[in-house]
Amino acid sequence: MFRGHTIRQCMLTLLLSILAFSAQAEKLTDSTIRAFIASMQDAQILEDQYKGTEGWPDADGEDMDSMPDLSRLFSEGVKKMKGGPAYDKYESLVKKHGFKNLPSWASVGDRVFAAMMAVEMKSADATSEMAEVMSEMENDPNLSPEIKAQMQAMMGAAINMTKTADNVPAADIEAIKPHLKALKAVLNDDED
């Protein structure tokens, strides 16, 4: 039971964590964020068609010993899709929503996701929650030393990443706030 709780906490922490975020010159506007949301809604239809095909980003196949670069989540996904059967379809889809191309859409997605995670981390005391989970884990006699070491490495990286939330531009955070409910709905749809 504790192990499942710890793993869920770690996964929550991973999702709430971001790596250093490079400020980007172009402002996130309401219309850009609305276009991103609409494109994500349309993309879910294509996902069913292409999920599991060559070049499709496979979250289940990710190495859980290493921390994904959450500051480039969308860009890395697009990079993995390049050359695969879904790439051109997705590029057409995002162009329909006013984006120049798939990499520019992914850049907006990275910024939106980072800003959402910064909002989440600021609203929850993620650092103290992670410290509490680490303490519980270290004191759990049912976890093997190997599992503890793996979890400590993951949690240590996650704790360090939470400190980078301040690198997300304040303007990006403010820009996504009016759209937070819609963004959460469309981005959390993938987890269902």
Side-chain angles (χ1 to χ4, degrees):
M1 182 171 140
F2 178 77
R3 182 174 179 209
H5 174 73
T6 301
I7 291 171
R8 278 192 301 275
Q9 285 289 76
C10 288
M11 295 310 297
L12 174 65
T13 300
L14 293 175
L15 291 174
L16 294 177
S17 302
I18 59 172
L19 294 174
F21 185 81
S22 301
Q24 299 187 16
E26 195 173 320
K27 182 180 177 183
L28 278 180
T29 64
D30 280 338
S31 62
T32 301
I33 295 167
R34 281 193 301 272
F36 177 77
I37 293 167
S39 70
M40 285 295 295
Q41 291 166 335
D42 288 352
Q44 288 169 355
I45 296 165
L46 285 178
E47 180 180 353
D48 291 337
Q49 182 180 354
Y50 288 102
K51 191 172 188 175
T53 62
E54 180 184 341
W56 185 262
D58 181 14
D60 296 333
E62 298 287 325
D63 178 12
M64 290 309 295
D65 289 339
S66 63
M67 184 67 69
D69 183 352
L70 296 178
S71 69
R72 295 189 36 80
L73 192 64
F74 287 87
S75 294
E76 288 300 316
V78 165
K79 185 176 167 184
K80 288 177 183 178
M81 284 173 56
K82 190 148 181 119
Y87 190 90
D88 290 338
K89 292 279 188 186
Y90 275 89
E91 186 151 79
S92 294
L93 182 145
V94 300
K95 284 181 176 180
K96 179 181 97 176
H97 289 282
F99 293 93
K100 178 181 173 185
N101 54 34
L102 202 47
S104 68
W105 171 87
S107 177
V108 168
D110 292 340
R111 291 175 65 191
V112 166
F113 187 75
M116 284 179 61
M117 294 304 99
V119 168
E120 292 294 324
M121 286 191 297
K122 288 176 183 177
S123 68
D125 190 4
T127 304
S128 66
E129 280 183 33
M130 287 185 281
E132 183 180 324
V133 169
M134 276 192 66
S135 176
E136 289 176 13
M137 178 194 59
E138 289 169 358
N139 295 320
D140 186 343
N142 299 318
L143 293 177
S144 70
E146 294 82 17
I147 297 283
K148 285 183 181 182
Q150 183 180 24
M151 299 299 281
Q152 286 170 342
M154 289 172 58
M155 291 296 287
I159 288 171
N160 287 337
M161 287 189 304
T162 62
K163 297 174 184 173
T164 65
D166 291 335
N167 291 333
V168 175
D172 284 3
I173 293 170
E174 290 305 312
I176 63 110
K177 281 183 178 178
H179 306 280
L180 209 48
K181 185 175 180 178
L183 286 164
K184 284 180 181 181
V186 75
L187 292 174
N188 288 333
D189 244 11
D190 293 341
E191 296 173 7
D192 295 338

